[in-house]
Amino acid sequence: MRRAERLEWWSIAWTISVIVVMGAAMGSSQTMKTAWIEDCLSLIPPAVFLISARVERRPANARFPNGFARVPSLAFVIAATALTALGSTLLVDSAMSLVSQEHATVAAVHIFGKEIWLGWIMVAAQVYSIVVPVVLGWLKLPLAKQLNDKTLFTDAMTQKANWMTGIAGIGGVIGIRLGYWWADAVAAGLISLDILNDGIRALRAASAELVDGAPRALDSDDIAEDASALHAVLDARFPGAEIHLRETGRVISAQIVGATPPDDTLDVRDYWPGDPDRAWRLGHISFVPPRSDRGDVPGN
């Protein structure tokens, strides 16, 4: 977590530098405008991650007796929503440019007494905007998998969208140079479709987590492999019982309905399948005993 937090602070600083460079070279290019907006919105996931990590460490109190373990789930929803909104906005913007047949023009500028086509400056800015997210995304992905943090993973996907934007942006600017007015908007539209796909996928997983659905994988709406393996282990240990798994932030909570807890001291690590270093994923196990074992208690 400490490495992830340091990386997110660096991510914010470097992304701001990209925003400044892209804004200075933007001109009237639709692709450059798309890339600049995306870079601005890509500040949301790292900021949300840092805030949620800080809040998550707060102790429980009278207003929040269960603590703040679910804050990462809320952060994931915000990050996924930002990614989806980003893709939708950029898709509409590029579609409007195509429908209106907006012809982007890139003028020349004078630097040190020499006339230079502004497009080459745009390309240089795009190259810089590619290098930064490639490095950041490459560093974030293994941490996201190790922590099983969906907000951090969504942030890494946003970095992927950023460098894809840079590559498509270079193509759009070169297209203007060659006289293809539509190349700029088409490049922006293709970028937005990929971003929207990642956002919708993340939003579906985030929604499932909020309504206590089964734990989802980092990169899809499918049930997580470790959750499926845990379900199989608990089902074998407590035959006939109902196994309910849900994800709270980064950890899995298991409820076993129709079984009594073992007489010996319960160590949740004994129930974790696979790598013992990942046993922290199983936060706790609760039992709801069979109806005949509950006694004559109203409401049971």
Side-chain angles (χ1 to χ4, degrees), residues 15-16 18-19 22 26 30-46 82-91 93 126 129-130 133 154-169 187-196 198:
T15 302
I16 290 175
V18 170
I19 290 171
M22 294 289 286
M26 184 164 54
Q30 180 66 28
T31 305
M32 292 292 289
K33 178 184 175 183
T34 300
W36 184 80
I37 295 173
E38 181 186 1
D39 289 330
C40 290
L41 291 179
S42 66
L43 288 172
I44 294 176
L83 195 61
T84 305
L86 170 64
S88 302
T89 302
L90 299 182
L91 182 61
D93 203 17
Q126 290 279 17
S129 74
I130 291 172
T154 302
D155 188 14
M157 292 298 99
T158 304
Q159 299 298 335
K160 168 196 165 187
N162 284 347
W163 66 257
M164 289 180 63
T165 299
I167 293 175
L190 293 175
I191 295 165
S192 61
L193 284 173
D194 185 76
I195 298 170
L196 184 59
D198 286 342

Side-chain angles (χ1 to χ4, degrees), residues 44-122:
I44 294 176
V48 167
F49 176 85
L50 289 169
I51 294 171
S52 68
R54 185 179 181 85
V55 174
E56 185 185 6
R57 288 193 286 264
R58 291 182 180 178
N61 54 46
R63 290 174 61 85
F64 296 93
N66 297 312
F68 298 89
R70 298 201 72 168
V71 170
S73 300
L74 178 60
F76 179 36
V77 172
I78 295 173
T81 302
L83 195 61
T84 305
L86 170 64
S88 302
T89 302
L90 299 182
L91 182 61
V92 171
D93 203 17
S94 58
M96 291 293 291
S97 295
L98 282 174
V99 171
S100 62
Q101 297 187 13
E102 183 178 311
H103 289 58
T105 57
V106 179
V109 294
H110 290 84
I111 300 178
F112 301 117
K114 293 185 177 181
E115 188 176 87
I116 299 176
W117 183 55
L118 185 58
W120 299 127
I121 298 176
M122 291 180 179

Side-chain angles (χ1 to χ4, degrees), residues 67-300:
F68 298 89
R70 298 201 72 168
V71 170
S73 300
L74 178 60
F76 179 36
V77 172
I78 295 173
T81 302
L83 195 61
T84 305
L86 170 64
S88 302
T89 302
L90 299 182
L91 182 61
V92 171
D93 203 17
S94 58
M96 291 293 291
S97 295
L98 282 174
V99 171
S100 62
Q101 297 187 13
E102 183 178 311
H103 289 58
T105 57
V106 179
V109 294
H110 290 84
I111 300 178
F112 301 117
K114 293 185 177 181
E115 188 176 87
I116 299 176
W117 183 55
L118 185 58
W120 299 127
I121 298 176
M122 291 180 179
V123 169
Q126 290 279 17
V127 170
Y128 178 65
S129 74
I130 291 172
V131 173
V132 171
V134 164
V135 174
L136 291 174
W138 179 73
L139 292 173
K140 288 176 185 180
L141 271 179
L143 284 176
K145 292 176 181 178
Q146 187 176 357
L147 293 169
N148 207 82
D149 193 290
K150 293 185 174 68
T151 305
L152 190 60
F153 186 84
T154 302
D155 188 14
M157 292 298 99
T158 304
Q159 299 298 335
K160 168 196 165 187
N162 284 347
W163 66 257
M164 289 180 63
T165 299
I167 293 175
I170 291 173
V173 173
I174 298 300
I176 294 175
R177 177 70 171 179
L178 297 176
Y180 302 116
W181 65 267
W182 45 264
D184 195 38
V186 168
L190 293 175
I191 295 165
S192 61
L193 284 173
D194 185 76
I195 298 170
L196 184 59
N197 178 61
D198 286 342
I200 291 175
R201 189 169 54 189
L203 195 56
R204 287 175 62 187
S207 301
E209 188 170 324
L210 275 188
V211 297
D212 289 338
R216 297 305 203 262
L218 271 178
D219 56 350
S220 71
D221 188 41
D222 298 332
I223 296 177
E225 291 183 6
D226 55 2
S228 297
L230 175 62
H231 191 284
V233 167
L234 294 176
D235 192 48
R237 294 285 287 270
F238 303 97
E242 294 181 13
I243 311 299
H244 300 163
L245 301 181
R246 63 183 176 89
E247 200 162 29
T248 303
R250 283 176 287 274
V251 300
I252 296 174
S253 299
Q255 184 183 63
I256 304 174
V257 181
T260 54
D263 295 331
D264 55 339
T265 302
L266 178 66
D267 189 343
V268 294
R269 291 176 296 181
D270 295 336
Y271 294 88
W272 181 254
D275 186 359
D277 290 336
R278 299 282 294 173
W280 60 266
R281 276 274 284 156
L282 180 55
H284 72 273
I285 300 177
S286 60
F287 289 85
V288 179
R291 186 170 297 275
S292 60
D293 294 347
R294 300 182 201 177
D296 190 14
V297 180
N300 281 342

